[in-house]
Amino acid sequence: MNRSRTRLLVALASATALLTTAGCGAADMTKQASPFAAPAGVRTVTLSVQSWVGAQANVAVAEQLLKDELGYRVDLVQTDEVPAWDALSQGRVDAILEDWGHPDQEKLYVDEKRTIVRGGDLGVTGHIGWYVPKYFADQHPDVTDWKNLNKYADQLKTAESGGKGQLMDGSPSYVTNDVALVKNLDLDYKVVFAGSEAAQITQIQQFAKEKKPFLSYWYQPQWLFNEVPMVEVKLPEYTEECAAKDPKDIDCAYPTTPLQKFLNADFVERGGDAAGFLKKFHWSEQHQNEVSEMIASQRLTPEEAAKRWIERHPDVWKKWLPQE
């Protein structure tokens, strides 16, 4: 994510379960001519599925309501962040329900080509940052200022980071500024990729169980904060001027981003109730985390988690349905 997620996570098992629920695999649909062959007369919606749990929570709830309340068949396609925009533009998917900010793609496809339409706020505000566990910050309060990070590099080094401190990132597919930040802020750290959000969560849980210090790229909203309290490390203040720099020259914090939905322009015209429903889909960080935690921590399938949330919150989702 960049978040970028400015340029720019849950478990792989959860992602597989989510896709299996829809009857499709995790193929990269951006390389195929069309998504699915729909039987004649069957109304379908194809949703992009991102790999982090919050985004999958959105899709799980939207999928269940589109099927049960509006009578659509829903197909799910797993795509990385930037390729998802290409797939959306070409109509291979109909909607992205959680975007963390991709201004170049937005300018190209929304403003210039007009093949993608803004779908409105998701209702959730996202923020990426560097975090240490609260138990470590309580012992060393000054670690929460980036200027003091080198002081703790020895305590934060691992076998993977060699003689440097470890800054743990998630999937290499997420677009982050961390390598540039480490270099430009002259920090004695090495970015080490866990490989996926699931692997990163497992590592954080293990560190916390052993009360070991760690420094990690992480983001909000994220259910793991309920289990492992973390404190953000203050980086140099984010500015638009800094964000406009070449990626290798970035030397400031990540922005705070109201997460957005985007729809294929043709789908908006022909999508009827489904398009209207997705535009109205709007919930809180607390609601998203409720579903995310059921999927990633309680090990419910995305379908089970969505159904439980839907049973508990009719006052929220009924507002998204067409009004008679």
Side-chain angles (χ1 to χ4, degrees), residues 262-300:
F262 290 91
L263 310 178
N264 173 270
D266 289 339
F267 171 70
V268 170
E269 294 297 322
R270 62 171 173 77
D273 288 347
F277 166 84
L278 293 174
K279 285 183 178 181
K280 291 181 181 179
F281 188 106
H282 183 278
W283 62 350
S284 68
E285 174 182 330
Q286 290 74 22
H287 287 141
Q288 188 188 80
N289 277 342
E290 183 180 342
V291 179
S292 298
E293 187 164 7
M294 284 190 281
I295 296 171
S297 181
Q298 299 175 24
R299 303 302 181 189
L300 272 65

Side-chain angles (χ1 to χ4, degrees), residues 51 76 93 230:
S51 63
L76 308 179
V93 298
M230 290 179 264

Side-chain angles (χ1 to χ4, degrees), residues 10 19 33 57 66 81 107 113-114 130 157 180-181 210 213 217 226 238 253 259-260 280 282 305 310-311 315:
V10 308
L19 291 165
L66 282 165
E81 287 182 273
K107 181 175 184 293
K113 291 190 173 184
R114 299 185 179 181
W130 293 0
K157 65 183 179 182
L181 282 167
E210 300 173 7
Y217 163 103
N226 298 331
Y238 170 85
L259 306 184
Q260 301 295 308
K280 291 181 181 179
H282 183 278
I310 289 167
E311 289 172 357
D315 57 318

Side-chain angles (χ1 to χ4, degrees), residues 48-183:
S48 171
V49 185
Q50 309 288 28
S51 63
W52 55 93
V53 68
Q56 295 189 6
N58 304 326
V59 170
V61 171
E63 175 192 16
Q64 205 62 45
L65 289 171
L66 282 165
K67 291 193 302 186
D68 293 349
E69 298 295 327
L70 298 179
Y72 282 81
R73 191 186 87 175
V74 181
D75 295 313
L76 308 179
V77 177
Q78 185 174 357
T79 53
D80 289 335
E81 287 182 273
V82 174
W85 280 81
D86 299 327
L88 185 62
S89 175
Q90 296 164 19
R92 292 170 180 155
V93 298
D94 296 319
I96 296 172
L97 298 185
E98 181 173 311
D99 183 79
W100 285 68
H102 293 83
D104 293 343
Q105 281 70 30
E106 191 170 345
K107 181 175 184 293
L108 174 63
Y109 293 125
V110 178
D111 299 332
E112 296 176 2
K113 291 190 173 184
R114 299 185 179 181
T115 54
I116 293 176
V117 174
R118 294 178 179 90
D121 287 351
L122 175 64
V124 177
T125 298
H127 175 66
I128 296 173
W130 293 0
Y131 292 84
V132 294
K134 185 177 183 299
Y135 54 79
F136 189 61
D138 287 344
Q139 294 172 347
H140 308 283
D142 63 339
V143 74
T144 59
D145 188 324
W146 72 269
K147 296 175 183 177
N148 300 316
L149 283 176
N150 283 344
K151 175 180 174 181
Y152 297 99
D154 282 347
Q155 295 184 58
L156 293 166
K157 65 183 179 182
T158 66
E160 291 76 16
S161 65
K164 298 179 179 289
Q166 173 176 283
L167 170 57
M168 179 168 53
D169 274 44
S171 168
S173 72
Y174 301 146
V175 185
T176 79
N177 301 326
D178 287 359
V179 172
L181 282 167
V182 166
K183 178 179 180 294

